[in-house]
Amino acid sequence: QVQLQVSGPGLVKPSQTLSLTCTVSGGSISSGDSYWSWIRQTPGKGLEWIGYISYSGSTDYNPSLKSRVTMSVDTSKNQFSLKLTSVTAADTAVFYCARANSRKWLSMDVWGQGTTVTVSS
Amino acid sequence: EIVLTQSPGSLSLSPGERATLSCRASQSVNSAYLAWYQQKPGQAPRLLIYGASFRATGIPDRFRGSGSGPDFTLTISRVEPEDFAVYYCQQYASSPWTFGQGTKVEI
C-alpha cells in the first residue's frame, strides 16, 4: 500500500525558497498511472492545488503559482519535490503531497500527512 | 478556472440523519472528473468518491455520490458519529484543478 511522507523545514524566511520533499513508500514513483501532486491549505483560501509531476518529469502547475513553482522527481530515491520561490507570509500553509491516480481518473487517492510551513522572519 | 461552490457551508445533524451536500461548478464538468473528500481536524483529506459516483476503497456504502454537468451531490444516508467532518468537492477535468470551499457536517 502506497504511503507518502512529507519532509522539509517548518519555517522559511520571507523572500527565500520553500523546499519540500515527499517520499513514496510501498510502491514505485515510476508507476505510469500516478501523477505526484502538491496541495496546500490555508484557513483563508482553503485547499489549493499547486501542481503535479509525472515520473517522467512532465508537469502541470497552477497558473497562480507557476512563476514561482518548480517540481522535480528523483526516481532513485522514490521522492518528488517542491520548490516555491520568493515566499511571503501569504504562502504560510499546510502543505500536502498526494498521488493522483489515473486508474481513478486522476482523483487523489493517497495523501501524505501534511506539514505546516510558516513564512516569517 | 472552474469555480466550485459548495452548499450549505455547514450542516447540523444528529447521528442517523441524512446529509445532502451540494457542489455546483461554474461551468459543466465531465462527471468522470469530480471527486469528494472528507477531512477531519489535523488530518489530510481522504478520498471518498471519484468519477462523481464511485466509492473509493474502503468507503462505506452510506456514502453516495451523484450528479452531472454543473451540479453534483454527496449524500450520507445515515450519518455516523465518525462522519462529522468537513467535505470538499474537487474537479480535475481541467487545469488548474480546483476545490470547493467545503461543507462542515457537525452535530
Coordinates of all heavy atoms in Angstrom, one line a residue, chain B residues 38-100:
Chain B
Q38 N -13.2 13.8 2.4 CA -13.5 14.0 3.8 C -12.3 14.5 4.5 O -11.2 13.8 4.4 CB -14.1 12.8 4.4 CG -14.4 12.9 5.9 CD -14.6 11.5 6.5 OE1 -13.7 10.7 6.6 NE2 -15.9 11.2 6.9
Q39 N -12.4 15.5 5.4 CA -11.2 15.9 6.2 C -11.7 16.1 7.6 O -12.6 16.8 7.9 CB -10.6 17.2 5.6 CG -9.3 17.5 6.3 CD -8.6 18.8 5.8 OE1 -9.3 19.7 5.3 NE2 -7.3 18.8 5.8
K40 N -10.9 15.4 8.5 CA -11.1 15.6 9.9 C -10.0 16.5 10.5 O -8.9 16.6 9.9 CB -11.2 14.3 10.6 CG -12.3 13.4 10.2 CD -12.4 12.1 10.9 CE -13.6 11.2 10.4 NZ -13.6 9.9 11.0
P41 N -10.2 17.1 11.6 CA -9.2 18.1 12.2 C -7.9 17.4 12.3 O -7.7 16.3 12.8 CB -9.8 18.4 13.5 CG -11.3 18.3 13.3 CD -11.5 17.1 12.4
G42 N -6.9 18.1 11.8 CA -5.5 17.6 12.0 C -5.1 16.5 11.0 O -4.0 16.0 11.1
Q43 N -6.0 16.2 10.1 CA -5.7 15.1 9.2 C -5.7 15.6 7.7 O -6.3 16.6 7.4 CB -6.8 14.0 9.3 CG -6.8 13.3 10.7 CD -7.7 12.1 10.7 OE1 -8.2 11.6 9.7 NE2 -8.1 11.7 11.9
A44 N -5.1 14.8 6.9 CA -5.2 15.1 5.4 C -6.6 14.7 4.9 O -7.3 13.9 5.5 CB -4.1 14.3 4.7
P45 N -7.0 15.3 3.8 CA -8.2 14.9 3.2 C -8.1 13.4 2.8 O -7.0 12.9 2.5 CB -8.3 15.8 1.9 CG -7.5 17.0 2.3 CD -6.4 16.5 3.1
R46 N -9.3 12.8 2.8 CA -9.4 11.4 2.4 C -10.4 11.2 1.2 O -11.5 11.8 1.3 CB -9.9 10.5 3.6 CG -10.0 9.0 3.2 CD -10.4 8.2 4.4 NE -11.7 8.4 4.9 CZ -12.5 7.4 5.4 NH1 -12.1 6.2 5.4 NH2 -13.7 7.7 5.9
L47 N -10.0 10.5 0.2 CA -10.8 10.4 -1.0 C -12.0 9.5 -0.6 O -11.9 8.4 -0.1 CB -10.0 9.7 -2.1 CG -10.8 9.4 -3.4 CD1 -11.3 10.7 -4.1 CD2 -10.0 8.6 -4.4
L48 N -13.2 10.0 -0.9 CA -14.5 9.3 -0.6 C -15.0 8.7 -2.0 O -15.4 7.6 -2.1 CB -15.5 10.1 0.0 CG -15.3 10.7 1.4 CD1 -16.5 11.6 1.8 CD2 -15.2 9.5 2.4
I49 N -15.2 9.7 -2.9 CA -15.9 9.4 -4.2 C -15.0 10.0 -5.3 O -14.5 11.1 -5.2 CB -17.2 10.1 -4.2 CG1 -18.1 9.7 -3.0 CG2 -17.9 9.9 -5.5 CD1 -18.7 8.3 -3.2
Y50 N -14.9 9.2 -6.4 CA -14.3 9.7 -7.6 C -15.2 9.4 -8.8 O -16.1 8.6 -8.6 CB -12.9 9.1 -7.8 CG -12.9 7.6 -8.1 CD1 -12.9 7.1 -9.4 CD2 -12.9 6.7 -7.0 CE1 -12.9 5.7 -9.6 CE2 -12.9 5.3 -7.2 CZ -12.9 4.8 -8.5 OH -12.9 3.5 -8.7
G51 N -15.0 10.1 -9.9 CA -15.9 9.9 -11.0 C -17.3 10.2 -10.7 O -18.2 9.6 -11.2
A52 N -17.5 11.1 -9.7 CA -18.8 11.6 -9.3 C -19.6 10.6 -8.5 O -20.4 10.9 -7.6 CB -19.7 12.1 -10.4
S53 N -19.4 9.3 -8.7 CA -20.3 8.3 -8.1 C -19.6 7.0 -7.6 O -20.3 6.1 -7.1 CB -21.4 7.9 -9.0 OG -20.9 7.3 -10.2
F54 N -18.3 6.9 -7.8 CA -17.6 5.6 -7.5 C -17.0 5.8 -6.1 O -16.2 6.7 -5.9 CB -16.6 5.3 -8.5 CG -17.1 5.0 -9.9 CD1 -17.3 6.0 -10.8 CD2 -17.5 3.7 -10.2 CE1 -17.8 5.8 -12.0 CE2 -18.1 3.4 -11.4 CZ -18.2 4.5 -12.4
R55 N -17.3 4.9 -5.2 CA -16.7 4.9 -3.9 C -15.3 4.5 -3.9 O -15.0 3.5 -4.6 CB -17.5 4.1 -2.9 CG -18.8 4.8 -2.3 CD -19.4 3.9 -1.3 NE -19.9 2.7 -1.8 CZ -21.0 2.5 -2.4 NH1 -21.9 3.5 -2.5 NH2 -21.4 1.3 -2.8
A56 N -14.4 5.2 -3.2 CA -13.1 4.8 -3.1 C -12.9 3.5 -2.2 O -13.9 3.2 -1.5 CB -12.2 5.9 -2.5
T57 N -11.8 2.9 -2.2 CA -11.6 1.7 -1.5 C -11.9 1.9 0.0 O -11.4 2.9 0.6 CB -10.1 1.3 -1.6 OG1 -9.8 1.1 -3.0 CG2 -9.9 -0.1 -0.9
G58 N -12.7 1.0 0.5 CA -12.9 1.0 2.0 C -14.0 2.0 2.4 O -14.3 2.1 3.6
I59 N -14.6 2.7 1.5 CA -15.6 3.7 1.9 C -17.0 3.0 2.0 O -17.4 2.3 1.1 CB -15.7 4.9 0.8 CG1 -14.3 5.5 0.7 CG2 -16.8 5.9 1.2 CD1 -13.8 6.1 2.0
P60 N -17.7 3.2 3.2 CA -18.9 2.5 3.4 C -20.0 3.0 2.4 O -20.0 4.1 1.9 CB -19.3 3.0 4.8 CG -18.2 3.6 5.4 CD -17.2 4.0 4.3
D61 N -21.0 2.1 2.2 CA -22.0 2.4 1.2 C -23.0 3.4 1.6 O -23.9 3.7 0.8 CB -22.6 1.1 0.7 CG -23.3 0.3 1.8 OD1 -23.4 0.8 2.9 OD2 -23.8 -0.8 1.5
R62 N -22.9 3.9 2.8 CA -23.8 5.0 3.2 C -23.4 6.3 2.5 O -24.2 7.3 2.5 CB -23.9 5.2 4.7 CG -22.5 5.6 5.3 CD -22.7 5.8 6.9 NE -21.5 6.2 7.5 CZ -20.6 5.4 8.0 NH1 -20.8 4.1 7.8 NH2 -19.5 5.9 8.6
F63 N -22.2 6.3 1.9 CA -21.8 7.5 1.1 C -22.2 7.3 -0.3 O -21.8 6.2 -0.9 CB -20.3 7.7 1.3 CG -19.8 8.2 2.6 CD1 -19.4 7.2 3.6 CD2 -19.8 9.5 2.9 CE1 -19.0 7.7 4.9 CE2 -19.4 10.0 4.2 CZ -19.0 9.0 5.2
R64 N -22.9 8.2 -0.9 CA -23.2 8.1 -2.3 C -23.0 9.4 -3.0 O -23.5 10.4 -2.5 CB -24.7 7.6 -2.4 CG -25.1 7.3 -3.8 CD -26.5 6.7 -3.8 NE -27.5 7.7 -3.7 CZ -28.1 8.4 -4.6 NH1 -27.8 8.2 -5.9 NH2 -29.1 9.3 -4.4
G65 N -22.4 9.3 -4.2 CA -22.2 10.5 -5.0 C -23.1 10.4 -6.2 O -23.3 9.3 -6.8
S66 N -23.5 11.6 -6.7 CA -24.4 11.6 -7.8 C -24.2 13.0 -8.5 O -23.6 13.9 -8.0 CB -25.8 11.3 -7.5 OG -26.3 12.3 -6.6
G67 N -24.8 13.1 -9.7 CA -24.8 14.3 -10.4 C -24.1 14.3 -11.7 O -23.4 13.4 -12.1
S68 N -24.3 15.4 -12.4 CA -23.6 15.6 -13.7 C -23.6 17.0 -14.1 O -24.3 17.8 -13.5 CB -24.3 14.7 -14.8 OG -25.7 15.2 -14.9
G69 N -22.8 17.4 -15.1 CA -22.8 18.7 -15.6 C -22.3 19.7 -14.5 O -21.2 19.4 -14.0
P70 N -23.0 20.7 -14.2 CA -22.5 21.5 -13.2 C -22.9 21.2 -11.8 O -22.4 21.8 -10.8 CB -23.1 22.9 -13.5 CG -24.4 22.6 -14.1 CD -24.2 21.3 -14.8
D71 N -23.9 20.3 -11.6 CA -24.4 20.0 -10.2 C -24.2 18.6 -9.8 O -24.6 17.6 -10.4 CB -25.9 20.3 -10.2 CG -26.3 21.7 -10.4 OD1 -25.7 22.6 -9.7 OD2 -27.1 22.1 -11.3
F72 N -23.5 18.5 -8.6 CA -23.2 17.2 -8.0 C -23.6 17.2 -6.5 O -23.7 18.3 -5.9 CB -21.6 17.0 -8.1 CG -21.2 16.9 -9.5 CD1 -20.8 18.1 -10.2 CD2 -21.2 15.8 -10.2 CE1 -20.4 18.1 -11.5 CE2 -20.7 15.7 -11.5 CZ -20.3 16.9 -12.2
T73 N -23.8 16.0 -6.1 CA -24.3 15.8 -4.7 C -23.6 14.7 -4.0 O -23.4 13.6 -4.6 CB -25.9 15.5 -4.7 OG1 -26.6 16.6 -5.3 CG2 -26.4 15.3 -3.3
L74 N -23.3 14.9 -2.8 CA -22.8 13.8 -1.9 C -23.9 13.6 -0.8 O -24.3 14.5 -0.1 CB -21.5 14.2 -1.2 CG -21.0 13.2 -0.2 CD1 -20.5 11.9 -0.9 CD2 -19.8 13.8 0.6
T75 N -24.3 12.4 -0.7 CA -25.4 12.0 0.3 C -24.8 11.0 1.2 O -24.1 10.0 0.8 CB -26.6 11.4 -0.4 OG1 -27.1 12.3 -1.4 CG2 -27.7 11.1 0.6
I76 N -25.0 11.3 2.5 CA -24.7 10.3 3.6 C -26.0 9.8 4.1 O -26.8 10.6 4.7 CB -23.8 10.9 4.7 CG1 -22.6 11.7 4.1 CG2 -23.4 9.8 5.6 CD1 -21.9 12.5 5.2
S77 N -26.3 8.6 3.8 CA -27.7 8.1 4.1 C -28.1 8.2 5.6 O -29.2 8.6 5.9 CB -27.9 6.7 3.6 OG -26.9 5.8 4.2
R78 N -27.2 7.7 6.4 CA -27.4 7.8 7.9 C -26.1 8.2 8.5 O -25.1 7.4 8.5 CB -27.9 6.5 8.5 CG -29.3 6.2 8.1 CD -29.8 4.8 8.7 NE -28.9 3.8 8.4 CZ -28.9 3.1 7.2 NH1 -29.8 3.4 6.3 NH2 -28.1 2.1 7.0
V79 N -26.0 9.4 9.0 CA -24.7 9.9 9.5 C -24.3 9.2 10.8 O -25.1 9.0 11.7 CB -24.8 11.4 9.8 CG1 -23.6 11.9 10.4 CG2 -25.1 12.2 8.5
E80 N -23.1 8.7 10.7 CA -22.5 8.0 11.9 C -21.6 9.1 12.7 O -21.2 10.1 12.1 CB -21.6 6.9 11.5 CG -22.4 5.8 10.7 CD -23.2 4.9 11.7 OE1 -22.9 4.9 12.9 OE2 -24.1 4.2 11.2
P81 N -21.3 8.8 13.9 CA -20.5 9.8 14.7 C -19.2 10.1 14.0 O -18.7 11.2 14.1 CB -20.3 9.1 16.0 CG -21.5 8.2 16.2 CD -21.9 7.7 14.8
E82 N -18.6 9.1 13.3 CA -17.3 9.3 12.7 C -17.4 10.1 11.4 O -16.3 10.4 10.8 CB -16.6 8.0 12.4 CG -17.3 7.0 11.5 CD -18.2 6.1 12.2 OE1 -18.7 6.4 13.3 OE2 -18.4 4.9 11.7
D83 N -18.6 10.4 11.0 CA -18.8 11.2 9.7 C -18.7 12.7 9.9 O -18.8 13.4 9.0 CB -20.1 10.8 9.1 CG -20.2 9.3 8.7 OD1 -19.1 8.7 8.6 OD2 -21.3 8.8 8.6
F84 N -18.7 13.1 11.2 CA -18.7 14.6 11.4 C -17.3 15.1 11.0 O -16.3 14.7 11.6 CB -19.1 14.9 12.9 CG -20.5 14.6 13.1 CD1 -20.9 13.4 13.7 CD2 -21.5 15.4 12.7 CE1 -22.2 13.0 14.0 CE2 -22.8 15.1 12.9 CZ -23.2 13.9 13.5
A85 N -17.3 15.9 10.0 CA -16.0 16.3 9.4 C -16.4 17.4 8.3 O -17.5 17.9 8.2 CB -15.4 15.2 8.6
V86 N -15.3 17.9 7.6 CA -15.5 18.8 6.5 C -15.4 18.0 5.2 O -14.5 17.2 5.1 CB -14.5 20.0 6.5 CG1 -14.8 20.9 5.4 CG2 -14.6 20.7 7.9
Y87 N -16.3 18.3 4.3 CA -16.3 17.6 3.0 C -16.1 18.6 1.9 O -16.6 19.7 1.8 CB -17.7 16.9 2.8 CG -17.9 15.8 3.8 CD1 -18.4 16.1 5.1 CD2 -17.6 14.5 3.5 CE1 -18.5 15.1 6.0 CE2 -17.8 13.5 4.4 CZ -18.2 13.7 5.7 OH -18.4 12.7 6.6
Y88 N -15.2 18.2 1.0 CA -14.8 19.0 -0.2 C -15.1 18.3 -1.5 O -14.8 17.1 -1.6 CB -13.3 19.3 -0.1 CG -12.8 20.1 1.1 CD1 -12.3 19.5 2.2 CD2 -12.9 21.5 1.0 CE1 -11.9 20.3 3.3 CE2 -12.5 22.3 2.1 CZ -12.0 21.6 3.3 OH -11.6 22.4 4.3
C89 N -15.6 19.0 -2.4 CA -15.6 18.5 -3.8 C -14.4 19.1 -4.5 O -13.8 20.1 -4.2 CB -16.9 18.9 -4.5 SG -17.3 20.6 -4.7
Q90 N -14.0 18.4 -5.6 CA -12.8 18.8 -6.4 C -13.0 18.3 -7.8 O -13.6 17.3 -8.1 CB -11.6 18.1 -5.8 CG -10.3 18.5 -6.5 CD -9.5 17.3 -7.1 OE1 -9.7 16.2 -6.6 NE2 -8.6 17.6 -8.0
Q91 N -12.6 19.2 -8.7 CA -12.7 18.8 -10.1 C -11.3 18.7 -10.7 O -10.4 19.5 -10.3 CB -13.5 19.8 -11.0 CG -12.9 21.2 -11.1 CD -11.8 21.3 -12.2 OE1 -11.8 20.6 -13.1 NE2 -11.0 22.3 -12.0
Y92 N -11.1 17.7 -11.5 CA -9.8 17.5 -12.1 C -10.0 17.3 -13.6 O -9.3 16.6 -14.3 CB -9.0 16.3 -11.5 CG -9.9 15.1 -11.2 CD1 -9.9 14.0 -12.0 CD2 -10.6 15.1 -10.0 CE1 -10.7 12.9 -11.7 CE2 -11.4 14.0 -9.7 CZ -11.5 12.9 -10.5 OH -12.3 11.8 -10.2
A93 N -11.1 18.0 -14.1 CA -11.4 17.9 -15.5 C -10.5 18.9 -16.3 O -10.2 18.6 -17.5 CB -12.9 18.3 -15.8
S94 N -10.2 20.0 -15.7 CA -9.4 21.0 -16.4 C -8.5 21.7 -15.4 O -8.8 21.8 -14.3 CB -10.3 22.0 -17.2 OG -10.9 22.9 -16.2
S95 N -7.3 22.1 -16.0 CA -6.3 22.7 -15.1 C -6.6 24.2 -15.1 O -6.9 24.8 -16.1 CB -4.9 22.5 -15.8 OG -3.9 23.0 -15.0
P96 N -6.5 24.8 -13.9 CA -6.0 24.2 -12.6 C -7.1 23.4 -11.9 O -8.3 23.8 -12.0 CB -5.6 25.4 -11.8 CG -6.5 26.5 -12.3 CD -6.7 26.3 -13.7
W97 N -6.7 22.3 -11.4 CA -7.7 21.6 -10.5 C -8.1 22.5 -9.4 O -7.3 23.2 -8.8 CB -7.0 20.3 -10.0 CG -6.6 19.3 -11.0 CD1 -6.8 19.4 -12.4 CD2 -5.8 18.2 -10.8 NE1 -6.2 18.3 -13.0 CE2 -5.6 17.6 -12.1 CE3 -5.2 17.6 -9.7 CZ2 -4.9 16.4 -12.3 CZ3 -4.5 16.4 -9.9 CH2 -4.3 15.8 -11.2
T98 N -9.4 22.4 -9.1 CA -9.9 23.3 -8.0 C -10.8 22.5 -7.0 O -11.3 21.4 -7.4 CB -10.7 24.4 -8.6 OG1 -11.7 23.9 -9.5 CG2 -9.8 25.4 -9.4
F99 N -10.8 23.1 -5.8 CA -11.6 22.5 -4.8 C -12.8 23.5 -4.4 O -12.6 24.7 -4.6 CB -10.8 22.3 -3.5 CG -9.7 21.3 -3.6 CD1 -8.5 21.6 -4.1 CD2 -10.0 20.0 -3.1 CE1 -7.5 20.6 -4.2 CE2 -9.0 19.0 -3.2 CZ -7.8 19.3 -3.7
G100 N -13.9 22.9 -3.9 CA -14.9 23.8 -3.3 C -14.4 24.3 -1.9 O -13.3 23.8 -1.4

